[in-house]
Amino acid sequence: MASEGAQYEGTDWTKDGTADGTAGAAPASPGAAPESPEATGGSGNGDAQSADSSSSDPRTMDPKVAAAIAAAEAASPQGASTVRVDSWIWSVRLVKTRSMGATACRGGHVRVNGERVKPAHGVRVGDEVRLRHEGRERVVVVTRLIRKRVGPPVATQCYIDNSPPPPPR
């Protein structure tokens, strides 16, 4: 946690809560590029490039959600393009505990791109993860790699849910 406070050292804060007196600018989120829509909470500076990037996501992202995503992505090692599958399915709240995710992998209930995987298998952005859990199958496509467990609003930003509807009761 000490490293999170270190990122704001030397920043001049104004009364309106902006850094260096620039109105409308959000403080830089850890692990996110300053020009990305996640870092600015979905609001661009009006040029065509930022308008195109924000129009690709139909939902405008809440600044708190964007900050939480950036914090979760900052927890992963720099330059890592994969995350353990048991850790990822726990982080995005598909299972309650990481050990439940590892047990599901060992039992053959987790498939990545159609293949049964061990708990240490690495998932990448774009991989399809299938999980049989609690009587239903969840089919998700990875959109963000995180290692830290996050809240439900942030977790839904990390995958695309292609699961069939739950069975009727």
Side-chain angles (χ1 to χ4, degrees):
M1 292 294 170
S3 64
E4 290 178 5
Q7 69 184 350
Y8 297 115
E9 287 181 9
T11 304
D12 296 328
W13 293 98
T14 62
K15 289 181 184 177
D16 62 352
T18 59
D20 299 323
T22 55
S29 298
E35 65 273 2
S36 69
E38 291 86 8
T40 59
S43 61
N45 58 1
D47 63 343
Q49 183 180 8
S50 67
D52 290 341
S53 63
S54 65
S55 66
S56 66
D57 187 9
R59 298 168 283 175
T60 57
M61 198 177 307
D62 183 30
K64 290 182 181 179
V65 172
I69 289 173
E73 287 176 341
S76 63
Q78 299 298 326
S81 61
T82 64
V83 174
R84 286 177 58 117
V85 67
D86 61 340
S87 178
W88 187 82
I89 62 176
W90 166 74
S91 297
V92 297
R93 306 180 82 84
L94 295 178
V95 293
K96 289 184 181 179
T97 64
R98 199 180 130 250
S99 63
M100 285 176 74
T103 303
C105 291
R106 284 192 297 270
H109 300 288
V110 178
R111 293 176 179 261
V112 175
N113 297 328
E115 297 181 12
R116 289 183 179 174
V117 294
K118 293 182 178 181
H121 181 79
V123 292
R124 295 179 169 85
V125 173
D127 283 350
E128 179 189 68
V129 178
R130 291 178 175 263
L131 169 69
R132 282 194 333 250
H133 183 63
E134 296 180 353
R136 74 180 279 213
E137 184 174 32
R138 299 291 305 266
V139 180
V140 297
V141 177
V142 179
T143 57
R144 281 198 173 88
L145 296 178
I146 60 172
R147 287 193 177 173
K148 238 169 92 173
R149 190 162 171 100
V150 293
V154 179
T156 57
Q157 299 286 324
C158 297
Y159 61 86
I160 299 170
D161 196 355
N162 294 332
S163 303
R169 290 186 161 208

